[in-house]
Amino acid sequence: MSDTCTPIYGLPYPIGTSRPCEVGATSCAFAEAVDTVLDSIDAVVARTATTVAMAKVAATIPVVFDSVANFSIPATFDTVLVDTDAMFSADVDASLITVNTAGLYLILCSALCDTTGVSGNQLGIAPGAFINPSAFSWLSSTVVNQNVQATAGLDIYATAMGVFPLAAGTTIGLRVNPYCTGSDLVTVFYSELAAIWLGDL
Amino acid sequence: MNPIGTHGLVCLGDEEYAAIALAERHNAAVVDSTVQADLAALAKYNARPYVRATLNANASGIAQSLSDWIPGNNLPGQNLFNGAFSISRIATAGISFSGANTVFSLWRQGWWMVGGYATYQCTGAVTNLSRRTLGIQWYHTVNGVTLYEANLNTSYESNTGTDAMTVQGMFYADGVHSYGADLVFAHRNSGSTMQVNSNARLWMFYLGSGVTI
């Protein structure tokens, strides 16, 4: 029996000298090849139209920082808002999202903090997602806001986002960077981190 | 005939050539329905909704707002899209627009990326180091109670009175209730009112259903 196949997907088909009694070999090879092609299409549908890999986690327990300037603290997440790809496990590490599906990712983070202080004091926050704990890749430059209220603190808010190519296994975290002076306090009362798959690498 | 793979395809054994027509018809039908379903799903994914509202005229006379946002409540400040605005849209079936207090309202279940942008300036005296806040407000009403979420950004004016800011957030719609999105500006410039310039923008893009893989 002498068969050939299509140039793109390699779908086999019989030619004129093929013997009818040997139809089984070509038939099975054809069905298997078609099944493989359909599997590959299904895989694209599964990671796009069916759902995309995404996770959004939040730290909702307020953390108070006292009279310390320019330091960086990893946020510890206690709330999972969405996780379609088993990207977050508080049991493994509550400060990290792990990429399981390689691709281009939109990384989004935000934080809200409360402050005390008086005119002229600097009270700020700088959320920035990082790629792997040992290799920082900040989404935002330092956001240091000044509080000029005479008697009461003001809330400070910050959001940042960026797009990164990430391999499977890459971890993403959020560093909160409170900045205060004197006896002032910064209370980070909410922060969140999200990673959304945008496309293949 | 023998089943092959995971899509319901079949193949013939040797000496089963009498069933060629039957097997080919069966496989053709399987391929037809599978490819059609996949293409429909991909076409829907490819045409995810996007919408953008652009402020047509300056929003002027915005007085300072003294209160901070209390999570879960309405954002203090001025909703920028309570005046005239223009809309750019792609595949926005299920999204409606209102100039009253809501720019967008939608019903499609899933996660949405929402962003805003504005430039602004003081209309008179500049209060040094006073705060500006640009926020996205995302809300829906359940049993007569309106629930608010928000993402905000903050900057502090140094001395010129003119600046710009962006803000982004990722929000969820349950597919049952109507959700609204606003862009809200607030400031503490006590020396004068402020103006948000025309072309401030609020945009929204559908990310996906959030169904677990």
Side-chain angles (χ1 to χ4, degrees), chain B residues 31-48:
Chain B
V31 171
D32 206 49
S33 63
T34 304
V35 170
Q36 194 260 355
D38 282 351
L39 281 177
L42 290 172
K44 184 179 180 182
Y45 175 78
N46 194 42
R48 287 181 290 175

Side-chain angles (χ1 to χ4, degrees), chain B:
Chain B
M1 291 189 289
N2 305 308
I4 288 289
T6 58
H7 294 91
L9 296 165
V10 297
C11 73
L12 300 173
D14 287 343
E15 312 297 342
E16 285 188 316
Y17 51 85
I20 285 178
L22 184 62
E24 288 195 354
R25 187 178 71 176
H26 175 87
N27 284 346
V30 168
V31 171
D32 206 49
S33 63
T34 304
V35 170
Q36 194 260 355
D38 282 351
L39 281 177
L42 290 172
K44 184 179 180 182
Y45 175 78
N46 194 42
R48 287 181 290 175
Y50 168 84
V51 61
R52 185 187 69 200
T54 302
L55 192 64
N56 288 344
N58 298 335
S60 57
I62 302 173
Q64 70 164 329
S65 178
L66 296 175
S67 57
D68 282 327
W69 177 52
I70 300 173
N73 291 356
N74 201 358
L75 280 181
Q78 179 158 327
N79 172 21
L80 297 177
F81 290 92
N82 59 4
F85 57 86
S86 56
I87 289 290
S88 298
R89 63 174 88 183
I90 300 171
T92 52
I95 301 176
S96 60
F97 310 97
S98 164
N101 285 300
T102 301
V103 175
F104 309 135
S105 63
L106 59 98
W107 288 263
R108 185 165 178 175
Q109 183 272 335
W111 288 88
W112 295 77
M113 187 77 192
V114 186
Y117 156 84
T119 65
Y120 41 82
Q121 61 202 55
C122 297
T123 57
V126 178
T127 305
N128 193 33
L129 294 174
S130 54
R131 187 180 68 171
R132 317 283 184 260
T133 299
L134 188 65
I136 297 164
Q137 178 164 272
W138 180 264
Y139 58 95
H140 70 294
T141 301
V142 179
N143 296 327
V145 178
T146 302
L147 307 171
Y148 293 92
E149 299 173 69
N151 264 32
L152 303 105
N153 219 349
T154 308
S155 73
Y156 281 74
E157 180 51 52
S158 55
N159 51 38
T160 65
T162 301
D163 208 343
M165 207 173 352
T166 63
V167 62
Q168 307 88 30
M170 178 182 167
F171 300 97
Y172 181 72
D174 63 11
V176 176
H177 300 92
S178 174
Y179 285 71
D182 295 333
L183 186 64
V184 179
F185 177 78
H187 70 89
R188 285 228 175 163
N189 191 77
S190 58
S192 68
T193 63
M194 290 195 68
Q195 167 182 301
V196 172
N197 299 317
S198 61
N199 293 319
R201 284 175 171 168
L202 175 64
W203 54 266
M204 180 188 302
F205 177 64
Y206 183 74
L207 294 170
S209 67
V211 173
T212 301
I213 293 173

Side-chain angles (χ1 to χ4, degrees), chain A:
Chain A
M1 183 172 181
S2 179
D3 295 334
T4 188
C5 58
T6 58
I8 298 174
Y9 293 112
L11 303 178
Y13 54 85
I15 60 174
T17 57
S18 300
R19 298 170 58 185
C21 63
E22 295 175 345
V23 67
T26 302
S27 174
C28 288
F30 174 81
E32 288 168 357
V34 170
D35 197 62
T36 299
V37 172
L38 293 179
D39 279 344
S40 68
I41 299 173
D42 289 348
V44 176
V45 172
R47 68 176 183 271
T48 55
T50 302
T51 191
V52 296
M54 67 169 79
K56 180 181 179 182
V57 293
T60 65
I61 300 171
V63 180
V64 180
F65 300 95
D66 180 8
S67 301
V68 182
N70 270 347
F71 66 106
S72 181
I73 299 297
T76 301
F77 304 110
D78 54 73
T79 302
V80 179
L81 297 158
V82 63
D83 183 3
T84 66
D85 198 19
M87 300 167 73
F88 178 78
S89 171
D91 293 334
V92 176
D93 192 330
S95 65
L96 296 176
I97 288 175
T98 301
V99 170
N100 289 322
T101 301
L104 280 173
Y105 277 80
L106 172 65
I107 308 298
L108 173 70
C109 61
S110 69
L112 288 71
C113 73
D114 210 359
T115 66
T116 63
V118 295
S119 179
N121 279 327
Q122 293 198 350
L123 302 159
I125 189 169
F130 60 90
I131 311 303
N132 289 328
S134 60
F136 286 87
S137 181
W138 293 96
L139 288 178
S140 64
S141 58
T142 301
V143 180
V144 177
N145 293 314
Q146 289 185 298
N147 174 11
V148 295
Q149 292 301 295
T151 57
L154 285 174
D155 289 351
I156 298 173
Y157 317 101
T159 64
M161 69 176 185
V163 175
F164 297 86
L166 301 179
T170 303
T171 54
I172 306 159
L174 173 66
R175 291 275 172 146
V176 177
N177 190 22
Y179 183 91
C180 50
T181 60
S183 59
D184 297 332
L185 304 175
V186 173
T187 302
V188 179
F189 61 87
Y190 182 85
S191 60
E192 64 184 23
L193 174 66
I196 304 106
W197 183 91
L198 298 177
D200 287 329
L201 294 176

